[in-house]
Amino acid sequence: MGDDALRITVLGSATPFPRPGNACSGYLVEGGGVRLWVDAGTGTLAELQRYVALGEVDAVWISHLHADHSADLLTASYGLLYAGLDLPLPLPLLGPPGIADRLAAFLTNGPDRSPVESAFRVEELYDGHLARVGGLTLRSRAVDHGGLPAFALRVEDEGGASLVYSGDCEPCDALVELAQDCELFVCEADGCVPGRHSAAQAGRSASDARAGRLVVTHVGPGTTPAEAVALAAAAFPGDVAHADPGRRFVVGRDPLLTRRSRTPGRTTTSPASSR
């Protein structure tokens, strides 16, 4: 495995608030010479720095503006502007419409608007948004999350390795289309309510998308990670894992798990996840 293999590290997966040892939603995606901070939920900035310095992040991508996915942008803005970091500013920030004004509204403490654009170069997402960051291509699709502007993300490297992150959403055609034939699908499993996937629904979405592997994340209260994995696995024929904080998944490279063949009765070994 080369050092530049496409991979995702779980910074946190808790919902709706951080727990001891588990921050809210956040991930470090690496590959193609790029370090991408995906979702910035409460507590994820501290966890991010276990792996990279804030000044080493190349871009930030935010699925939606609920605090458990975006709150650490506030403290990150202070770090970018006032911590004496040696980095080019502003840092690219891809997020839902209105993200800059939402940040400014919270950070402004006087008559002058907070200079969030000095910290972040904001690019607003839309359905079908396409961006190139280093050797990675980022494709975003609008998804259903209770009427709030929300997006899912597909990341591909130049070799064709692919991972998809659902953000928070209910099962929808846009997500399945985005995730078609991806090698790794990270899907929330917060509960069977409008705007959310249950664990079983995450398994069905992964199966409909013909994903290679499934990682359930953002598991809601009342369901243990082991239960969520079992429920998802009942609906999905590939490997299923939970997004344990600190766990790293390398796309198409790691031999630690066994992938079940889609042919009944056969079991094949292929790369899966590492920690």
Side-chain angles (χ1 to χ4, degrees), residues 1-2 5-10 28 30 51 184 213 215 239 241-258 270-275:
M1 178 187 70
L6 182 62
R7 55 200 183 274
I8 182 170
T9 303
V10 181
L28 173 64
E30 299 171 278
Y51 310 98
L184 181 67
R213 292 171 284 143
V215 177
D239 277 324
H242 176 257
D244 297 332
R247 191 166 188 180
R248 173 172 290 171
F249 298 89
V250 183
V251 177
R253 294 294 191 274
D254 192 312
L256 294 183
L257 292 182
T258 299
S270 71
S273 70
S274 66
R275 185 167 183 174

Side-chain angles (χ1 to χ4, degrees), residues 28-43:
L28 173 64
V29 174
E30 299 171 278
V34 168
R35 291 160 170 156
L36 181 68
W37 185 9
V38 173
D39 273 351
T42 313

Side-chain angles (χ1 to χ4, degrees), residues 38-71:
V38 173
D39 273 351
T42 313
T44 58
L45 177 55
E47 296 304 313
L48 177 75
Q49 294 171 86
R50 295 184 186 274
Y51 310 98
V52 298
L54 179 58
E56 296 174 327
V57 173
D58 295 288
V60 185
W61 185 94
I62 300 296
S63 63
H64 64 289
L65 293 178
H66 282 152
D68 59 339
H69 292 255
S70 65

Side-chain angles (χ1 to χ4, degrees), residues 74 77-78 81-82 99-117:
L74 303 173
S77 69
Y78 285 124
L81 293 177
Y82 308 121
I99 188 171
D101 286 341
R102 285 283 297 274
L103 292 174
F106 188 92
L107 293 169
T108 298
N109 294 305
D112 298 323
R113 185 180 183 276
S114 176
V116 293
E117 285 83 3

Side-chain angles (χ1 to χ4, degrees), residues 52 87 165 190 207 249:
V52 298
L87 75 163
Y165 168 53
D190 198 2
S207 183
F249 298 89

Side-chain angles (χ1 to χ4, degrees), residues 59-248:
V60 185
W61 185 94
I62 300 296
S63 63
H64 64 289
L65 293 178
H66 282 152
D68 59 339
H69 292 255
S70 65
D72 269 17
L73 289 176
L74 303 173
T75 47
S77 69
Y78 285 124
L80 293 169
L81 293 177
Y82 308 121
L85 300 178
D86 182 17
L87 75 163
L89 288 176
L91 177 66
L93 170 61
L94 291 73
I99 188 171
D101 286 341
R102 285 283 297 274
L103 292 174
F106 188 92
L107 293 169
T108 298
N109 294 305
D112 298 323
R113 185 180 183 276
S114 176
V116 293
E117 285 83 3
S118 297
F120 297 112
R121 176 168 58 80
V122 176
E123 185 173 339
E124 292 189 346
L125 299 174
Y126 53 82
D127 189 33
H129 183 276
L130 180 66
R132 183 82 175 178
V133 183
L136 298 181
T137 299
L138 280 55
R139 303 175 188 273
S140 302
R141 288 295 309 269
V143 290
D144 298 329
H145 189 42
L148 180 78
F151 297 86
L153 173 67
R154 184 182 183 113
V155 181
E156 294 183 352
D157 69 12
E158 293 175 331
S162 59
L163 65 86
V164 171
Y165 168 53
S166 69
D168 279 5
C169 68
E170 63 188 52
C172 57
D173 291 342
L175 178 62
V176 171
E177 291 168 5
L178 185 71
Q180 276 296 309
D181 297 312
C182 69
E183 293 175 76
L184 181 67
F185 183 31
V186 182
C187 189
E188 65 106 7
D190 198 2
C192 191
V193 294
R196 306 282 189 181
H197 272 76
S198 68
Q201 288 170 332
R204 287 194 289 272
S205 289
S207 183
D208 290 344
R210 298 184 301 181
R213 292 171 284 143
L214 172 63
V215 177
V216 289
T217 188
H218 212 47
V219 173
T223 303
T224 68
E227 290 169 341
V229 167
L231 289 166
F236 176 64
D239 277 324
V240 182
H242 176 257
D244 297 332
R247 191 166 188 180
R248 173 172 290 171

